[in-house]
Amino acid sequence: MLDQGAPPQNPGQNAAPTPPGVGARLMRRKPVESLVAEGGQGEGGSLRRSLGLWQLTMISIGATLGTGIFVVLGEAVPKAGPAVTLSFVIAGLTALFSALSYAELAGTIPVAGSSYSYAYATMGELIAWVCGWCLVLEYGVSVAAVAVGWGEYLNELLDGTIGVTIPAALSAPPGDGGVFNLPALIVVLLAMAFLLGGAKESARANTVMVIVKIAALVMFCAIGVQGFRSGNYENFMPLGMAGVSAAGATLFFSYIGFDAASTAGEEAKNAQRDLPRAIMLSLVIVTALYVLVAAVAVGAKPWKNFTDSEAALAQIMREVTGQTFWGTLLAFCAVIAIASVVLTVLYGQTRILFAMSRDGLVPKVFSKVHPKTKTPRANTLIVSLFCGVLAAAIPLGQLADATSIGTLFAFALVNVAVVVLRRTRPDMPRTFRVPLSPLMPALGFGFCIWMMGSLSAVTWVVFGVWMAAGLVFYFGYGYRRSRLAPSEK
C-alpha cells in the first residue's frame, strides 16, 4: 500500500543529468585559470622556464626577419612593382593591429598555445580547434616555404665559392624543374637537431643567427644604395592598388614572428612581463628593416627584372658591385639567417601541438616531455619530418600563399578574442592593454579579412580543403577525447 502522506515522486529526480547538446559542447570554453595553471605541464614531465626578454625578442625576430626579404621579395615585386614597399607597410600595419591584441593576450594568458589557447578561453572549443588547425597550416607550411628559399641561397653560396651548384633535380621541387628539394629537407633536419637539444640551447643558436642576419641586411643597404636609380620608381604603382594588396597578402606570412614568441609562454621566466615587450619590440625592428631593404632593392633593380628568384638580394649585390664576392658574402649570411627562421618557426609549431595535445584534441604523443632535455622530443621529430618532406616536394609560391591565409585567419580570431575577454573577464590583471579598444582590434580584424580577399582563388580552395580535413579530424577524434568532455558525460 502506498504511503498517502509521502510527497509525490518526481520521475526525473534520480535520473542522471542530461548531457549538454552538441552545440553546447562545441562552445565549451576552457577557464583561463586552468590554462595558466597547466603551463609547462606535459605527459611525463614539464617544460623548463629558461627564456628572458632578450631570448624572446630574438625568437620573435628570428621567426620573422628574413622570410619576406631573403625569400619572397622576388615573388612579391612582380605583383606590385616599385609599390612593393607600400605592400610591406600595409602588411606591417595589419600585423601591428594584431600584434597589439597578441601582446594583451600573451600577458594575460601566457601559455604555449598562442591564439589557439586564447580562442579556447574566449570563443569555445570548435573555434579554438579551427584556430589551432590554421596555426598548423601557418607554421608547418611556413617552415617548408622558408626552407625552399634556403636552398636557393645555398646554391648561390656554392657557386660563388667552389663554382658548383646542386643539380636542379635535387634542389627544386616537382613543378619547379626538379624532382626533390634536398637542401630544403636538410635545413629542416638541422633545425630539428637544435630543438632536440633544448629550448635554451636553441635560443642561443638563434641569437647568433639573428645578429648575423641583421648585419647582412645593413650591409646590403649600404652597398645596394650605390646602385639606386630614381627612374626605377617613376611608374610607382603599375599594377594598381590590387597589385599592392596582392603582394601585401603574400608578404604577410613574413610577419608571423611575434606569434612565434607567444608560443614560448610556458618556457619564459617572466612571461606576463616579457612577452608583450618582445612582441612589440620585434615588430618595430622587423618592419623598419623590411621597408628599408625593399626600397633599396627596387631602387637598384628595375621591378620587371625580378624574375621570381628566391635569391634576389644576392643577385642585386653582384649587379651593383660587378663582383661576385659581395653577392657570395650575402648568400652566406642568408644561409644562416634563413636557417634561424626555420628553427624558430619549427619551435612554434611544436609548442602549439603540445598545447592542443594536452587538451586532448590531438594525440598524446605531441605532449610527451623528454625527462632529460625537457622538450617534446617525439613531437619535434614528427613535425620536422613532415615539414621537411613538404618543403622538398612543393614549390615556394604555393607554400607562401597557403601560409598567408592561415596566418590572417588566426590573427583575425585573436582580434576578436581580446574584445571578448575584455567583456567576459574585465577583472583579470593585464600587463598590457590594447589602446582604443575595441576600435584597434576591429581595425585589425578588418585588415586581416581584406588581405585574405586579395589572395587567389586557388589559395582559397586549398584553405577550404584544409579546413574541411581539420573538421573531419576534430569530429572523428578531438570532439570525444577533449579533456573537457568527461565532466559532461
Side-chain angles (χ1 to χ4, degrees):
M1 179 180 291
L2 294 175
D3 184 356
Q4 299 298 323
Q9 195 75 17
N10 182 355
Q13 187 174 2
N14 298 319
T18 302
V22 174
R25 294 184 66 179
L26 295 178
M27 295 300 292
R28 56 197 174 199
R29 292 181 294 177
K30 188 170 183 178
V32 174
E33 290 78 9
S34 297
L35 283 166
V36 176
E38 292 176 357
Q41 300 301 314
E43 290 287 326
S46 59
L47 302 176
R48 181 185 294 124
R49 291 191 177 274
S50 59
L51 305 177
L53 175 61
W54 172 253
Q55 289 93 341
L56 292 170
T57 304
M58 290 299 103
I59 287 174
S60 187
I61 295 176
T64 311
L65 185 59
T67 313
I69 287 295
F70 285 111
V71 178
V72 296
L73 185 64
E75 295 272 343
V77 172
K79 295 180 180 180
V84 72
T85 52
L86 183 58
S87 299
F88 271 113
V89 172
I90 292 173
L93 186 61
T94 304
L96 174 62
F97 288 128
S98 298
L100 292 170
S101 295
Y102 263 100
E104 177 169 328
L105 292 172
T108 309
I109 314 174
V111 293
S114 185
S115 52
Y116 154 76
S117 294
Y118 309 151
Y120 212 164
T122 57
M123 292 177 281
E125 187 171 284
L126 179 61
I127 301 298
W129 169 263
V130 169
C131 188
W133 194 245
C134 283
L135 291 175
V136 172
L137 176 67
E138 170 190 336
Y139 279 90
V141 179
S142 178
V143 169
V146 180
V148 171
W150 186 82
E152 291 284 334
Y153 275 100
L154 180 63
N155 260 339
E156 290 282 335
L157 177 61
L158 293 174
D159 184 43
T161 52
I162 59 177
V164 299
T165 59
I166 301 172
L170 294 177
S171 62
D176 273 3
V179 177
F180 192 79
N181 194 330
L182 183 61
L185 176 60
I186 290 173
V187 71
V188 174
L189 295 180
L190 288 173
M192 178 189 74
F194 277 111
L195 291 176
L196 290 175
K200 187 175 183 179
E201 292 73 13
S202 300
R204 287 174 179 169
N206 173 66
T207 298
V208 173
M209 291 188 280
V210 168
I211 292 172
V212 168
K213 80 166 80 178
I214 291 176
L217 292 176
V218 171
M219 176 187 71
F220 170 82
C221 291
I223 295 176
V225 74
Q226 299 175 30
F228 192 91
R229 300 291 181 270
S230 60
N232 291 338
Y233 278 93
E234 286 182 355
N235 188 10
F236 182 68
M237 202 180 294
L239 302 174
M241 196 62 198
V244 173
S245 61
T250 296
L251 291 168
F252 190 79
F253 99 109
S254 317
Y255 286 91
I256 67 172
F258 62 85
D259 183 72
S262 69
T263 66
E266 296 178 20
E267 289 162 286
K269 296 176 182 177
N270 190 340
Q272 291 182 311
R273 182 196 67 188
D274 293 339
L275 280 178
R277 296 178 181 180
I279 287 169
M280 299 310 300
L281 181 60
S282 63
L283 184 63
V284 170
I285 293 172
V286 165
T287 302
L289 279 170
Y290 273 167
V291 173
L292 180 61
V293 172
V296 171
V298 175
K301 184 173 183 174
W303 71 272
K304 292 183 179 179
N305 293 345
F306 283 79
T307 55
D308 293 346
S309 170
E310 286 84 30
L313 297 190
Q315 294 175 0
I316 291 172
M317 292 281 277
R318 287 202 308 268
E319 293 168 3
V320 168
T321 62
Q323 302 174 11
T324 60
F325 171 77
W326 294 107
T328 302
L329 179 60
L330 186 75
F332 170 75
C333 294
V335 166
I336 296 175
I338 296 172
S340 77
V341 180
V342 175
L343 174 66
T344 49
V345 175
L346 191 63
Y347 167 85
Q349 173 71 97
T350 59
R351 270 42 179 189
I352 288 166
L353 285 172
F354 177 87
M356 296 176 74
S357 173
R358 186 172 56 203
D359 292 333
L361 301 184
V362 298
K364 288 184 178 180
V365 66
F366 290 101
S367 58
K368 288 185 177 179
V369 177
H370 192 269
K372 183 178 180 180
T373 62
K374 301 297 182 182
T375 60
R377 176 171 286 189
N379 180 345
T380 302
L381 287 168
I382 294 169
V383 171
S384 300
L385 292 175
F386 173 79
C387 292
V389 172
L390 196 67
I394 301 179
L396 171 65
Q398 297 174 23
L399 291 171
D401 283 350
T403 305
S404 290
I405 197 167
T407 305
L408 287 163
F409 191 80
F411 284 9
L413 291 178
V414 168
N415 285 293
V416 175
V418 76
V419 176
V420 172
L421 195 62
R422 284 273 191 103
R423 298 290 179 87
T424 58
R425 296 296 304 274
D427 57 308
M428 291 192 65
R430 290 166 168 83
T431 56
F432 177 86
R433 296 178 71 90
V434 178
L436 302 176
S437 179
L439 175 61
M440 297 294 272
L443 287 172
F445 179 84
F447 267 84
C448 288
I449 298 302
W450 173 57
M451 295 190 74
M452 287 178 71
S454 300
L455 293 168
S456 67
V458 173
T459 302
W460 275 96
V461 170
V462 171
F463 182 66
V465 171
W466 176 259
M467 295 310 300
L471 290 175
V472 169
F473 186 91
Y474 171 71
F475 285 107
Y477 184 92
Y479 177 73
R480 293 176 177 83
R481 289 174 172 81
S482 168
R483 287 187 59 193
L484 295 186
S487 62
E488 298 168 356
K489 291 179 180 178

